[in-house]
Amino acid sequence: QVSREETDQLCAENTGSVARYSSSFTAWEYFPRDLEERRWPAAVLAMYEDLGLVHRFGIERSTLARFVLMVRKGYRDPPYHNFSHAYSVAHFAYLMLKNLQLVESRCLDDLESLSLLTACLCHDLDHRGTTNSFQVASRSVLASLYSSEGSVMEQHHFAQSVCILNTDGCNILSELPPKDYTQCLDMVRGMILATDLSRHLSIMTELEAMASGGYRSCEPRHRRLLHSLLMTAADLSDQTKRWLSSKKAAKLVYREFFSQGDMEKQMGNDPSEMMDRERAFIPKLQIQFLDDIALPVYSLMGSLFPACEEVYAQTKANRRCWQRMADICSRRNATNVQSIDVFD
Ligand SMILES: COc1ccc(Cl)c(-c2nnc3c(C)nc4ccc(C(=O)NCC(C)C)cc4n23)c1
Ligand SMILES: [Mg+2]
Ligand SMILES: [Zn+2]
């Protein structure tokens, strides 16, 4: 639960316009974590308000304040998958809604906008810093609950979201008519499940077909494909920021991967190279990740939404930096450079 004074303080905070947080708060290059941590909940409230969602869906400000504080409490503190990641992902969804005018251009409707922002905020709730395959290998409680349907962690993230919505005074959807409520929850579920990268990889062909043929908002399948693409674009958005920020984010991801690899070794299992601090050559792994996953996402976004091209360009620039790092390290014979040192 969150305390009354915390809620009252956040609720009373005149979140005002988003410009209070930064004059570049709505710029693609803005790095949301540059805002001091204690102001992140107020910035989330400001995003809901700025998108007109508070007014449109009759959301009580104190309910929204309690909801955001409960979500923040619902995150643990692994190196990467903590509330700062959730807040950053929600901010990128806000940037896409705002800068691509997704509602104004009728690509999405208001309910989808509310679902997208809420799904981003909740999409990694209670993450432990380990992957779906680790849940199954370690026979975790979550695996016993969800492994039959796959996307173990993502199903848990959604279940946690529903728990928070069902907590007294936290249900930001309570004023929605029953049909909209059910539809919103269904979309939030689909959006959170879409952040399972293996699901994303399985719809890449359909996404490419939609991008080349053109988005048809009248087709329900296209709308769901767009939801998935927007979620992955937001989830990976650290890689679209200036080099030092995206490099720092990658460092935190590999800290999580390597501690999982250490646990796998203790369990007597062999970790994949990406998780093994003895074997991983990070610049090469990062180039692979950008080439196989991140760049195609922002390339698709760029072809669907021309205003998104600069995001793709910055991600390509970051890939060139990783390539330079790979060249330097392999000249300096990377094998003896402790793999995590490449970040210093
Ligand atoms: C969208 O969902 C997720 C979920 C979890 C994570 Cl950690 C990430 C994520 N966010 N930033 C990164 C960076 C900088 N590098 C990564 C390198 C590899 C992988 C990975 O999962 N590879 C295996 C897969 C292809 C089967 C994920 C990486 N990643 C995104
Ligand atoms: Mg996730
Ligand atoms: Zn995430």
Side-chain angles (χ1 to χ4, degrees):
Q1 276 31 11
V2 295
S3 69
R4 259 190 66 84
E5 60 268 9
E6 238 186 331
T7 309
D8 294 350
Q9 195 199 348
L10 176 55
C11 189
E13 178 139 359
N14 162 24
T15 46
S17 84
V18 293
R20 282 166 61 96
Y21 301 96
S22 160
S23 52
S24 55
F25 194 81
T26 58
W28 290 118
E29 61 274 8
Y30 182 65
F31 193 64
R33 299 209 276 291
D34 283 347
L35 181 70
E36 63 250 46
E37 183 156 0
R38 59 177 182 74
R39 299 184 69 195
W40 293 351
V44 173
L45 257 64
M47 289 192 266
Y48 272 87
E49 277 171 356
D50 188 59
L51 291 170
L53 298 172
V54 172
H55 179 256
R56 171 73 183 69
F57 294 103
I59 303 174
E60 188 67 44
R61 268 179 63 84
S62 58
T63 306
L64 183 55
R66 235 175 269 109
F67 173 75
V68 173
L69 291 170
M70 276 294 276
V71 167
R72 183 173 66 171
K73 238 185 174 67
Y75 278 87
R76 297 191 190 194
D77 206 20
Y80 185 73
H81 286 102
N82 48 51
F83 181 65
S84 79
H85 168 63
Y87 156 68
S88 306
V89 171
H91 178 262
F92 196 81
Y94 167 79
L95 289 182
M96 292 189 288
L97 288 164
K98 193 103 180 152
N99 297 342
L100 306 180
Q101 303 213 304
L102 294 174
V103 175
E104 295 80 349
S105 62
R106 305 173 72 77
C107 283
L108 299 179
D109 62 27
D110 291 325
L111 199 63
E112 288 169 301
S113 174
L114 174 66
S115 305
L116 184 71
L117 192 62
T118 305
C120 282
L121 203 60
C122 299
H123 86 282
D124 274 331
L125 268 168
D126 197 36
H127 204 290
R128 292 93 194 275
T130 53
T131 61
N132 285 336
S133 48
F134 184 81
Q135 304 312 314
V136 178
S138 61
R139 292 185 173 69
S140 73
V141 172
L142 299 183
S144 59
L145 281 170
Y146 302 121
S147 63
S148 46
E149 280 81 48
S151 304
V152 171
M153 288 311 302
E154 292 74 22
Q155 289 198 69
H156 178 56
H157 303 319
F158 175 65
Q160 295 295 97
S161 313
V162 171
C163 278
I164 291 175
L165 285 170
N166 290 336
T167 304
D168 273 358
C170 298
N171 194 341
I172 58 170
L173 310 178
S174 61
E175 302 310 302
L176 268 63
K179 191 168 120 341
D180 284 356
Y181 184 88
T182 310
Q183 204 181 358
C184 181
L185 231 46
D186 280 350
M187 289 196 283
V188 168
R189 180 174 181 279
M191 289 168 171
I192 292 180
L193 290 181
T195 60
D196 176 352
L197 268 183
S198 38
R199 279 179 192 256
H200 164 74
L201 292 171
S202 70
I203 63 167
M204 266 309 283
T205 323
E206 280 188 277
L207 287 172
E208 280 151 5
M210 180 173 78
S212 55
Y215 175 69
R216 290 190 296 278
S217 59
C218 53
E219 288 188 25
R221 181 68 191 146
H222 272 207
R223 294 186 92 99
R224 272 195 307 281
L225 285 169
L226 182 62
H227 297 167
S228 301
L229 179 61
L230 294 175
M231 288 303 291
T232 308
D235 208 359
L236 301 177
S237 56
D238 283 336
Q239 298 312 308
T240 71
K241 306 294 184 183
R242 60 182 188 273
W243 166 240
L244 286 177
S245 309
S246 71
K247 184 175 73 147
K248 211 165 89 190
K251 173 174 181 171
L252 298 174
V253 168
Y254 283 94
R255 260 178 48 201
E256 263 187 30
F257 283 172
F258 292 165
S259 60
Q260 174 172 319
D262 296 345
M263 287 188 278
E264 286 167 337
K265 287 174 188 170
Q266 278 158 10
M267 287 155 50
N269 297 342
D270 276 344
S272 66
E273 184 193 330
M274 177 173 85
M275 306 276 174
D276 188 346
R277 65 174 79 249
E278 320 293 329
R279 291 191 293 145
F281 180 45
I282 290 171
K284 188 171 71 61
L285 291 169
Q286 266 309 97
I287 289 165
Q288 256 167 5
F289 172 72
L290 289 170
D291 285 350
D292 300 349
I293 297 181
L295 283 166
V297 166
Y298 299 109
S299 163
L300 284 169
M301 286 298 293
S303 52
L304 284 165
F305 309 104
C308 219
E309 247 137 39
E310 63 184 90
V311 173
Y312 178 47
Q314 180 56 45
T315 313
K316 272 193 288 190
N318 288 336
R319 186 217 187 277
R320 280 194 295 277
C321 292
W322 283 110
Q323 187 59 58
R324 273 209 303 277
M325 189 149 11
D327 300 342
I328 295 166
C329 290
S330 44
R331 269 206 298 282
R332 222 198 297 155
N333 179 13
T335 44
N336 62 23
V337 171
Q338 242 301 332
S339 61
I340 205 89
D341 294 351
V342 296
F343 287 111
D344 306 327

